[in-house]
Amino acid sequence: MNDPQSHPEPSGHRAMLVDRLWPDPATVELGELREHYLAAWPDVADGAVAMMISSLDGSAQLDGVSGGLSSPVDQALMDLNRSVADVVVVGAGTLREEGYGGLRVSAGSVAWRRRQGLSDHPVLAVLSARLELRADDPFLAEAPVRPLILTGTEAPADAVRELAEVAEVVVAGDGPGADPVAVHQEFARRGMTRVLCEGGPSVLSQWFDAGRVAELHLSVAGALAGGAGQRIMHGRAGTARPAELLQVLRDGSMLMLRHRVG
């Protein structure tokens, strides 16, 4: 998903109306959904909530980034999900490609989190195998909360030392990258019970294969992207899993779907 901070900040969730098509059709204020999301969020032991976007013809990108498919309501829904989460997980490549800055929720979401006794912002967890990151990358240098960087045992030692100045670097996998199961175990150890994964497709594929996605929140843009843009995931053939529809929201021509993954 594209970082909402690359778009003008919505004026506030409660001013944004969406059509809930299922269940219980009605026009609802977006902010009304937050308490339900908080109550229904899967525990870290069950897996993460994954949030992605796609065009009608299955592309996860337009002109190389997902942001071209998004909308103000879609961005506000991402902020809402982030406001409920303890930790937001993003692959290093997606952070660079989508132009993430320091991960912050909106002012309204900060106020809500304070009322819940939470920190102002969730923790950003960066997944990186080769640690081809810089301490001055905006998503690290501008982070309001010290980020986590999750990697494997083959990560370069010099990069670990450099990045430790701006983030906590955690080895969570025996190999070139972080293992999804080990990542969730690390979150549980830290008391991070609500996990939001924003991809990208490579991360989502690995997490689906490892059974670490409990829900998929997929926005379907009313657009045909064409071209050779990648899909939201590209896992192994023959690994289809059932998904139960939990909610359908509509904003104009965009549908925002929520599924429980079997």
Side-chain angles (χ1 to χ4, degrees):
M1 293 290 288
N2 187 257
D3 182 13
Q5 294 170 81
S6 62
H7 298 261
E9 183 175 300
S11 58
H13 297 321
R14 301 198 67 83
M16 288 195 166
L17 300 179
V18 293
D19 295 322
R20 183 174 59 211
L21 304 184
W22 194 90
D24 304 323
T27 298
V28 297
E29 292 174 336
L30 195 60
E32 295 176 7
L33 301 175
R34 181 153 32 199
E35 298 295 336
H36 173 70
Y37 279 32
L38 176 65
W41 199 282
D43 184 78
V44 63
D46 300 315
V49 169
M51 191 171 188
M52 299 291 286
I53 194 167
S54 171
S55 66
L56 289 173
D57 52 338
S59 177
Q61 297 178 330
L62 185 64
D63 296 329
V65 294
S66 64
L69 296 170
S70 192
S71 73
V73 169
D74 177 58
Q75 295 295 316
L77 185 60
M78 175 180 280
D79 180 75
L80 186 149
N81 272 284
R82 286 179 172 182
S83 74
V84 176
D86 296 315
V87 58
V88 178
V89 183
V90 193
T94 296
L95 287 164
R96 287 189 294 265
E97 292 165 6
E98 300 287 351
Y100 276 64
L103 191 137
R104 291 176 169 83
V105 296
S106 66
S109 290
V110 168
W112 181 85
R113 286 177 65 89
R114 289 176 178 174
R115 291 195 296 271
Q116 304 301 315
L118 302 172
S119 61
D120 285 2
H121 305 278
V123 175
L124 172 66
V126 182
L127 300 180
S128 179
R130 296 184 296 274
L131 294 187
E132 294 178 345
L133 305 167
R134 294 171 52 91
D136 60 356
D137 283 330
F139 51 84
L140 297 177
E142 300 171 5
V145 182
R146 188 171 177 85
L148 292 175
I149 299 175
L150 298 149
T151 189
T153 54
E154 298 179 13
D158 56 344
V160 171
R161 287 191 295 270
E162 176 186 351
L163 294 169
E165 297 180 5
V166 293
E168 186 172 353
V169 183
V170 178
V171 174
D174 185 13
D179 173 71
V181 174
V183 167
H184 278 74
Q185 291 171 341
E186 179 67 20
F187 291 155
R189 186 183 70 79
R190 294 169 177 267
M192 297 174 173
T193 62
R194 294 183 298 276
V195 182
L196 177 64
C197 178
E198 297 182 6
S202 295
V203 169
L204 192 59
S205 300
Q206 294 167 7
W207 282 34
F208 262 106
D209 288 346
R212 293 289 80 207
V213 177
E215 287 190 11
L216 173 62
H217 295 204
L218 177 64
S219 296
V220 181
L224 297 165
Q230 56 184 331
R231 296 160 58 187
I232 65 166
M233 59 178 290
H234 40 72
R236 298 188 301 269
T239 58
R241 296 171 61 189
E244 176 190 359
L245 183 64
L246 300 177
Q247 179 179 263
V248 181
L249 303 177
R250 183 182 70 88
D251 173 45
S253 296
M254 177 176 285
L255 294 177
M256 290 159 283
L257 312 176
R258 180 177 162 220
H259 286 81
R260 179 184 296 118
V261 178

